[in-house]
Structure formats: structure tokens, C-alpha cells
Amino acid sequence: MTHPRSSLPVSTSGRLAAAALVTVAGLLAAAPASSAAPDRTGAATAGARVLAAPDIPIGNVKAHLTQFQSIATANGGSRAHGRTGYKASVDYVKARLDAAGFTTTVQEFTTSGSTGYNLVADWPGGDPNQVLMAGAHLDSVSSGAGINDNGSGSAAVLETALAVSRAQLRPARHLRFAWWGAEELGLVGSKHYVNNLPAADRARVSGYINLDMAGSPNPGYFVYDDDPAIEKVFKDWYAGIGVPTEIETEGDGRSDHASFKNAGIPVGGLFTGAGRTKTAAQAAKWGGTSGQAFDRCYHSSCDTTANINDTALDRNSDALAHAIWTLGTAEPVPPGESYENAADVAVPDNGAAVTSALTVSGRTGNAPAALRAGVDIKHTWRGDLVVDLLAPDGTAYRLKDSSSSDSADNVVATYTVDASAEPANGTWRLRVQDVAAQDTGYVDSWKLTF
Ligand code: DTR
Ligand code: CA
Ligand code: ZN
Ligand code: ZN
């Protein structure tokens, strides 16, 4: 399919000044949103440059669950607030984070006559005025080990934090991870944290991501419908692996993200379902058993390491890492970032079309509505030539038509194309065909400027 050219070529007399080529490792700041409200999430906007997240090894995540199970077994069967099993859980997570280079803080509070503990871990570096947080409640109910609720979320957040350390990530934003106490008593730990965070520090939190029940045995894939930018990062990630998601509708007020939302902080999160029943339509798209609860062991003694769907937990762990890397490292792309191919490609006289390829990577979102295609084709009687830009999916954008009257030499021009329907990343091609006998030439170079 060929799109009509979106605008006349803006011919240039000389070659464009070659814009600096930026490698994948290069990070460039994200253009702040132009909306009235500050873009506190600083979400990756179209054209922002981010680093790709690593895979989170599900084996590592499950090893944390095994630890939580052992802790519960050794401490009277639960990891509930006020029980020794909860503090032992805090000590386990803290020890892993200290060994990985995090700055950890244990915040104490009292509720229901017992001391509670929040664990907060800061990854050194990043903009202290843009703090991206991810958290999970670490406590269980008193009836069981709480492996899905919420060892799953705690383990996913822990392993993502450890992946940040393994990568020695240097994100644009400051990363902070947290494990909350006494969520089951009414979001007590996270409320305590937010209420005791000075207002200036609260304003520095650009987003909070919550995982509570991330590995339900009969899983659904629910994304919190709160902050649009965080929601989009998760929905796009799941769409990328071909897994449909639903909006989490029962979540409002039901977990620790509510403590942050009530303070005006953008929130998001993931959930695989609790005691509600999976419908037939949901089973059709997600698998599992319709008419059965997403987690039959919700708040029960059978919420053990046997009560986990590995695929769901793996996906949510990877999705969380993707969100942390995407939202944490997104930096703006200065105007004029270009990708160039200067290899000569001969254009056969009155013959088959030839192409020259450019690979774009490390960008997020779609190409801009004003993507600039600069071409330099050496060819006598340029009227012989038809020139198209091919998007990674093969969609053709006509840049230049042939002309029986254009006898001038060479095509040195910059065309502006509305490529906003095309993902930025991928292999773009310039396609050139000589459609009239006599006169020959070659593609000297071409570039795309985002
Ligand atoms: N309140 C959480 C479990 C829970 C139930 N519904 C939602 C929705 C979104 C997140 C969590 C939940 C608990 O029992 O810990
Ligand atoms: Ca994984
Ligand atoms: Zn619970
Ligand atoms: Zn929970």
C-alpha cells in the first residue's frame, strides 16, 4: 500500500549537517509533557530513548518464595504482622538488598498492639526530584504463609531490584523499592510511610507501582487503570507478548497503591486475581478454569508455594522490570536525532527497484508525524526516478514520483512523512527505481531524522 506523500519535498541546497548518531547505550532526556499538569510519571513518551529491561529469571523469583515458605513454616505457619515470621521476612529481603548495594531503611510503626516494619531500599543515583517507586506488601494473613498474597509481589519486586543491581543501572530517575507491613490490617504500613513522608519528598515521587497477588494459580492479567502512562507501559508490554489484559476494577482502595493515590501520586500496578471467579470469557482468553476463583487459597492456609502459577508470576516480574527500565531510564531525545546509511547502492537503468536499509532501535513508541527522510541520489535526468520510504512493516510512503519533464540531475532533498502510525524501531528502507531508459545513477546516502 502506498501512502500519498504527506508534503512536498523540502529540497536543500547542500547536505544536511549530519546530526550526531546516538548509540543504543546513549540516553537522552524525555521531552516533558506539554500538558498543564506536570508529567510526574515522566513516562516514556513517543520518541523517548530507553534501555531495554533484562529478563527476570523466574527461578530466582521462586527461590524467594521458597524462602518465604520456609520462614512461615519456621515461625508458626504465617508471616503476619506482629508475628516473628513477618520480621524474619523483612530480615531476609533486607539482607539480599544490602548485599546488592542498596541503601536500606527499616521504618517501624505500631498497630494492633504490635510493632510493624516497612522496608525501603534506595538505589543510589538518579534524579532525586524524580523518584520512581515499586512496592509490595510483605505481610501475610495469620492463617497461612501468604505465598501468592503477597509473597509473589514481594518476590517480583525484590528480584527486579536485584536485577537493577546486576545491571549496575544508572537510571535518569531515582529508584526506590519498598516492602510494606500490615497491609492486611488496612494498608497500615504504606499509609504510615506516606503520611510520614515530608510533603516535599512526597512531591518528588513521580510514580508508585504496586504488585499484590502477581502469581495467582488460576490467573487473570489485570492492569490498574490509574495513571495512564504507567497503565500504557504495562498494556503495551502485555500486547507485545500477545496476552490480553483487563482493567483492574476491584482494586481501588484494596492495596497499598491507594496510600499513594490518596496523596496525589501517580500509581499503577498488576494483579492476577483473588477470590472472584474467572468467567468463561476470561478463561477463553487466558486459559485456566472458568467458574473457579483466580486464587482458591486467598487468605487461606493453602496459600503455599504450591499456590502459584509460574507463567503468570514470570510475566508479571518481566512486566515490572520493563516498567522500571522504561519509566526509570526514559530520557528525552533532542530534536534532530538521525540515523544514516552512506553506502552506495547502484540503481539499474529502467530496471528493478533497489533498496537501502536503516535499522532504528532503542526508541519507544511510534515514529513522529514529521519524520524527515533526507536523500542524496546521484543520477542524471532525475525524472526517471521513483522514490519511496518503506516502514519496518513494509508500508510504503511515496517520496518522489517519476517525471518525463524533470531533466535536472540528482535528487538531494528532505521529505517530511507522517509516520506516526509506524513503530519507530525496526528496519526502514529507501526504495529507488529507475523507470525510464538511459541515464543511470546510485543512492549516495540517506538518513532518517526523528
Ligand atoms: N486486598 C489485597 C488483595 C486484593 C483484592 N483485590 C485487589 C485488587 C487489587 C490489588 C489487590 C487486591 C490483599 O488481600 O492483600
Ligand atoms: Ca522472565
Ligand atoms: Zn490479602
Ligand atoms: Zn495482598
Side-chain angles (χ1 to χ4, degrees):
M1 177 178 69
T2 295
H3 287 279
R5 193 169 51 219
S6 59
S7 63
L8 288 175
V10 176
S11 63
T12 55
S13 55
R15 296 281 300 278
L16 286 172
L21 283 184
V22 178
T23 61
V24 172
L27 285 174
L28 303 156
S34 55
S35 61
D39 175 10
R40 286 180 57 183
T41 310
T45 52
R49 174 174 289 291
V50 296
L51 287 173
D55 173 72
I56 301 298
I58 182 59
N60 291 7
V61 180
K62 293 198 70 179
H64 302 314
L65 298 185
T66 301
Q67 288 291 331
F68 295 146
Q69 181 69 65
S70 300
I71 288 166
T73 303
N75 288 275
S78 89
R79 299 181 304 106
H81 165 75
R83 307 288 179 82
T84 53
Y86 178 72
K87 184 60 168 57
S89 301
V90 171
D91 294 344
Y92 167 73
V93 175
K94 183 179 187 298
R96 296 300 306 267
L97 293 162
D98 288 339
F102 282 83
T103 303
T104 58
T105 306
V106 176
Q107 179 187 48
E108 293 190 8
F109 58 89
T110 301
T111 190
S112 302
S114 299
T115 301
Y117 306 90
N118 292 325
L119 173 62
V120 179
D122 285 277
W123 180 243
D127 182 353
N129 294 311
Q130 295 187 73
V131 180
L132 177 62
M133 290 190 68
H137 75 85
L138 185 58
D139 63 311
S140 73
V141 291
S142 55
S143 56
I147 298 305
N148 184 41
D149 181 20
N150 183 36
S152 62
S154 296
V157 172
L158 172 57
E159 193 57 29
T160 297
L162 295 178
V164 166
S165 173
R166 287 194 292 269
Q168 286 296 292
L169 193 64
R170 294 174 58 210
R173 291 176 173 77
H174 180 79
L175 301 182
R176 181 175 297 154
F177 300 89
W179 292 263
W180 308 117
E183 185 272 349
E184 299 289 8
L185 280 70
L187 322 184
V188 178
S190 58
K191 280 179 185 170
H192 178 84
Y193 174 80
V194 174
N195 293 341
N196 287 274
L197 198 61
D201 290 335
R202 272 206 300 274
R204 293 187 174 100
V205 180
S206 60
Y208 172 75
I209 296 172
N210 193 61
L211 259 65
D212 185 354
M213 303 182 78
S216 303
N218 187 25
Y221 293 93
F222 299 98
V223 175
Y224 294 10
D225 63 335
D226 287 291
D227 178 69
I230 299 174
E231 178 183 349
K232 183 178 190 315
V233 168
F234 282 132
K235 289 172 77 170
D236 287 353
W237 187 87
Y238 265 101
I241 63 167
V243 173
T245 54
E246 287 187 10
I247 292 303
E248 166 44 44
T249 52
E250 67 165 295
D252 281 351
R254 296 283 304 265
S255 192
D256 295 300
H257 60 296
S259 303
F260 290 82
K261 184 175 182 179
N262 293 338
I265 294 169
V267 302
L270 298 169
F271 177 57
T272 47
R276 281 169 96 174
T277 300
K278 181 182 280 185
T279 67
Q282 290 170 330
K285 63 180 164 184
W286 288 328
T289 308
S290 66
Q292 188 180 100
F294 296 103
D295 181 353
R296 288 187 295 183
C297 291
Y298 175 51
H299 286 186
S300 304
S301 60
C302 56
D303 187 5
T304 66
T305 45
N307 188 49
I308 291 289
N309 179 291
D310 290 5
T311 301
L313 183 54
D314 186 26
R315 287 170 172 170
N316 281 325
S317 302
D318 291 337
L320 175 63
H322 170 74
I324 294 296
W325 260 255
T326 300
L327 297 170
T329 70
E331 293 206 81
V333 175
E337 184 182 26
S338 290
Y339 302 76
E340 184 172 17
N341 184 340
D344 293 356
V345 179
V347 180
D349 183 30
N350 194 21
V354 293
T355 61
S356 175
L358 266 183
T359 297
V360 174
S361 62
R363 309 189 74 85
T364 60
N366 285 1
L371 176 64
R372 285 167 287 162
V375 303
D376 185 342
I377 304 171
K378 301 290 194 290
H379 195 289
T380 52
W381 197 293
R382 69 185 174 203
D384 286 4
L385 299 179
V386 173
V387 183
D388 292 302
L389 175 64
L390 304 184
D393 69 355
T395 304
Y397 294 82
R398 176 56 47 89
L399 303 183
K400 177 192 176 296
D401 294 313
S402 63
S403 161
S404 58
S405 60
D406 186 352
S407 61
D409 293 342
N410 306 331
V411 180
V412 181
T414 295
Y415 303 91
T416 301
V417 174
D418 179 356
S420 56
E422 309 292 346
N425 292 332
T427 300
W428 295 74
R429 288 177 172 80
L430 186 74
R431 182 173 64 192
V432 181
Q433 186 173 14
D434 180 335
V435 297
Q438 300 172 31
D439 293 290
T440 58
Y442 64 95
V443 178
D444 188 353
S445 68
W446 74 290
K447 67 166 59 176
L448 286 178
T449 302
F450 285 75

